[in-house]
């Protein structure tokens, strides 16, 4: 069974640009969550989607957005990038409210 | 603010010893508890989940949950150098659907 797949693995963007990250969950998992990990703040919850609906959102500015497609694949978008957005972005999929499995992450560097 | 706290570490143990990792949480309504292992530069990997009071064993790992005292712990028996990683405690608090993570404990197993 394939795991959670995130693309791309690495990104370098310039301040002010926007970026879109993609996540394909484990087959059969309908819940996809996104997290930001930085050395200073640790793992922080961004948002969670289930059946194409955002069910929960963390405390991040509106520049961070996401969506989920009918096949459960999800994308997150960050607009007007800031240096502080440099982080490892992690996607996790789960079946219901059980165990969550993470993808390999996308390492975003904003310069 | 609902929090998950872990002993900050770093924690060093000799090879073959028992490593003990602790975590406390603030929300008494929490029902689901997880331990993740994260190697440097990698994404978190789920190693244990526990939902009811008591012990749960899986190989060399034992998770312990005490809801009355609001703590969850992870014991690693016969620690190996390959166990050297950061261990993250995660909790689904109350009716939330997202994982709230502790800051992690860095474990080093010395050969």
């Amino acid at each position: 069974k394939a795991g959670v797949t995130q693309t791309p693995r690495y990104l370098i963007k310039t301040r002010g640009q926007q970026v879109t990250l993609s996540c394909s969950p484990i087959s059969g998992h309908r819940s996809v969550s996104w997290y930001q990990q930085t050395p200073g703040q640790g793992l922080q919850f961004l948002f969670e989607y289930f059946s194409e609906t955002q069910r929960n959102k963390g405390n991040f500015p509106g520049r961070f957005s996401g969506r989920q497609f009918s096949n459960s694949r999800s994308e997150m978008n960050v607009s007007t990038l800031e240096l502080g957005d440099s982080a490892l972005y992690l996607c996790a999929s789960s079946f219901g409210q059980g165990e969550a499995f993470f993808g390999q992450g996308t390492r975003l560097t904003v310069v | 603010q609902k929090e998950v706290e872990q002993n900050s570490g770093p924690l060093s143990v000799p090879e073959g010893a028992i490593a003990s990792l602790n975590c406390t949480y603030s929300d008494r309504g929490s029902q689901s508890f997880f331990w993740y292992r994260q190697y440097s530069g990698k994404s978190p990997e789920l190693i244990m989940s526990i939902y009811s009071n008591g012990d749960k064993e899986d190989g060399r790992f034992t998770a312990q949950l005490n809801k009355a005292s609001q703590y969850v712990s992870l014991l690693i028996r016969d620690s190996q150098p390959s166990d050297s990683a950061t261990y993250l405690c995660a909790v689904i608090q109350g009716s939330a659907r997202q994982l709230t993570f502790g800051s992690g404990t860095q474990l080093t197993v010395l050969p």
Side-chain angles (χ1 to χ4, degrees):
Chain A
K1 198 173 190 179
V4 180
T5 303
Q6 290 187 247
T7 56
R9 293 289 311 281
Y10 302 92
L11 268 177
I12 300 177
K13 290 287 188 179
T14 304
R15 275 181 299 174
Q17 288 186 313
Q18 75 165 18
V19 67
T20 299
L21 313 181
S22 179
C23 172
S24 293
I26 294 170
S27 177
H29 286 191
R30 295 165 65 187
S31 173
V32 173
S33 299
W34 289 89
Y35 294 82
Q36 180 196 65
Q37 187 174 34
T38 59
Q41 298 297 318
L43 265 159
Q44 293 187 290
F45 171 76
L46 281 157
F47 26 67
E48 187 247 356
Y49 287 88
F50 183 87
S51 292
E52 303 179 66
T53 300
Q54 185 182 91
R55 294 199 299 188
N56 212 351
K57 189 177 191 306
N59 189 25
F60 278 82
R63 298 185 297 107
F64 293 81
S65 63
R67 59 177 175 169
Q68 187 180 34
F69 301 95
S70 59
N71 61 358
S72 294
R73 190 177 71 84
S74 178
E75 289 181 347
M76 69 163 281
N77 185 77
V78 187
S79 63
T80 318
L81 283 165
E82 302 177 358
L83 294 179
D85 297 333
S86 295
L88 178 65
Y89 290 88
L90 293 159
C91 164
S93 81
S94 62
F95 184 81
Q97 200 169 330
E99 300 169 336
F101 299 89
F102 284 89
Q104 293 178 295
T106 295
R107 174 77 61 186
L108 172 65
T109 302
V110 182
V111 297
Chain B
Q1 185 177 351
K2 299 176 180 178
E3 294 182 344
V4 177
E5 297 190 1
Q6 298 182 240
N7 24 359
S8 55
L11 175 66
S12 294
V13 299
E15 185 174 355
I18 295 175
S20 177
L21 305 165
N22 299 315
C23 172
T24 59
Y25 58 94
S26 62
D27 185 355
R28 283 195 171 275
S30 300
Q31 296 294 323
S32 305
F33 307 85
F34 308 92
W35 284 98
Y36 287 83
R37 176 177 63 198
Q38 187 173 26
Y39 293 112
S40 180
K42 303 294 185 182
S43 64
E45 173 192 9
L46 179 66
I47 54 172
M48 289 289 286
S49 59
I50 187 165
Y51 303 96
S52 54
N53 280 330
D55 294 359
K56 179 182 178 183
E57 187 175 317
D58 184 0
R60 296 186 295 110
F61 297 97
T62 299
Q64 300 174 315
L65 175 61
N66 184 323
K67 290 185 178 179
S69 300
Q70 295 176 244
Y71 85 78
V72 57
S73 63
L74 179 70
L75 300 178
I76 307 174
R77 291 183 301 282
D78 188 25
S79 295
Q80 301 297 309
S82 59
D83 295 326
S84 298
T86 296
Y87 289 80
L88 297 159
C89 173
V91 177
I92 296 180
Q93 304 196 104
S95 60
R97 295 183 181 89
Q98 77 265 24
L99 292 166
T100 299
F101 283 87
S103 56
T105 299
Q106 185 177 345
L107 171 67
T108 300
V109 181
L110 304 170

